[in-house]
Amino acid sequence: MEETISLQDLFKTLKKRLALILTCMILGVTIAGVVSYLLMTPTYQSSTQILVNQTQQEQDQFTSQEIQTNLQLINTYNVIIKSPAILDLVIERLTLDMTPGQLTQHITVASEQDSQVVNVTVKDPDPHRAADIANTTAEVFEEEIPKLMNVDNVNILSPAIVGDNPQPVDPNPPLNMAIGAVIGLMIGVGIAFLLEYLDTSIKGERDVEEILDLPILGLISPIPESDVNLDNVVRTRRKRR
């Protein structure tokens, strides 16, 4: 006989194991909060913008080939900014205790869509060092690009500035705690259904029907406690007589 589970049974299981599910949720939120506030190092972000000018006189209209050439040029600049030719000089000027490969992991270079602006974003545990790395990278790139590509069309548009009260971008404790709550909820529900599946005790006539594969012919109604007490009183009086 195939075992079927109704929606009502699912809700009964969830209600029965509600304390377990809530405990898992609270545990997930607590672990995420402890990891976010105590174990993870705060990371700050600082950005500077570089403007790539046209190397030729601006025209009223640009051909698709010229537009493609400009995009390829900016993409080339994005690669050069994170190359050892630039980062070695940045490390030397700031006396950073890291290799160009390690510094690359702190730097993100991206160009604004359909524009000549390149964003250099740096993440670091120290907000002031993040700004220094971003500004120095832009300055070194501006100085070295004429030597590397024989062009002089790069200017710093907006330097990185550290605010009065910088806020870390990572970690995000509220988001991590929300994720912890969802994970705890999923684990709690999973454990609840697993315990219900492993529980082979007989709880009612439906279980007897499913296990023995036989119809139920009759049921013994439960005797109220008041009737049991009354019957004991009657028996006690008869014995005294």
Side-chain angles (χ1 to χ4, degrees):
M1 184 176 181
E2 295 184 359
E3 182 178 358
T4 58
I5 301 178
S6 64
L7 188 60
Q8 185 178 7
D9 293 334
L10 297 179
F11 282 114
K12 285 183 179 179
T13 301
L14 295 177
K15 183 178 180 181
K16 178 181 177 182
R17 308 288 182 178
L18 183 60
L20 172 64
I21 296 173
L22 293 178
T23 301
C24 291
M25 284 185 61
I26 296 174
L27 186 61
V29 172
T30 303
I31 293 176
V34 171
V35 172
S36 298
Y37 284 107
L38 301 180
L39 300 182
M40 296 182 69
T41 302
T43 303
Y44 298 86
Q45 179 176 295
S46 191
S47 300
T48 183
Q49 291 182 322
I50 299 174
L51 176 63
V52 180
N53 296 320
Q54 293 290 339
T55 57
Q56 60 182 1
Q57 295 291 333
E58 291 190 358
Q59 302 174 0
D60 294 336
Q61 294 181 348
F62 292 97
T63 65
S64 59
Q65 183 177 359
E66 290 173 342
I67 295 175
Q68 185 66 27
T69 301
N70 292 334
L71 292 177
Q72 291 177 355
L73 182 61
I74 293 178
N75 291 335
T76 302
Y77 286 172
N78 293 348
V79 176
I80 294 176
I81 291 174
K82 300 182 67 174
S83 67
I86 303 298
L87 298 186
D88 279 334
L89 296 176
V90 175
I91 293 173
E92 182 180 349
R93 291 189 183 185
L94 297 177
T95 61
L96 300 176
D97 187 18
M98 61 180 68
T99 64
Q102 293 172 334
L103 182 57
T104 301
Q105 299 177 0
H106 293 254
I107 301 176
T108 302
V109 181
S111 55
E112 294 289 346
Q113 186 176 6
D114 300 329
S115 72
Q116 300 167 239
V117 178
V118 177
N119 292 324
V120 179
T121 303
V122 178
K123 289 184 178 181
D124 194 85
D126 186 346
H128 295 281
R129 189 169 71 167
D132 291 339
I133 293 175
N135 289 329
T136 305
T137 301
E139 293 170 0
V140 170
F141 176 71
E142 183 183 16
E143 296 170 1
E144 294 297 317
I145 197 63
K147 305 175 186 177
L148 297 174
M149 297 190 64
N150 196 25
V151 293
D152 188 10
N153 62 339
V154 173
N155 296 296
I156 298 176
L157 181 63
S158 175
I161 300 175
V162 180
D164 296 333
N165 187 22
Q167 298 295 326
V169 293
D170 291 316
N172 188 346
L175 177 60
N176 293 342
M177 293 172 70
I179 295 175
V182 173
I183 294 176
L185 175 63
M186 296 172 61
I187 293 176
V189 172
I191 294 177
F193 284 115
L194 178 62
L195 293 177
E196 192 68 19
Y197 176 77
L198 296 178
D199 186 4
T200 57
S201 60
I202 298 176
K203 307 177 186 62
E205 64 274 8
R206 180 177 175 182
D207 294 337
V208 175
E209 222 175 5
E210 291 178 351
I211 294 174
L212 301 179
D213 196 16
L214 294 173
I216 300 296
L217 299 180
L219 297 175
I220 300 177
S221 301
I223 302 175
E225 186 177 355
S226 58
D227 294 346
V228 175
N229 295 335
L230 180 61
D231 185 57
N232 291 335
V233 172
V234 172
R235 290 179 180 178
T236 303
R237 289 181 178 178
R238 288 177 178 178
K239 289 181 180 180
R240 288 178 180 177
R241 290 178 182 177

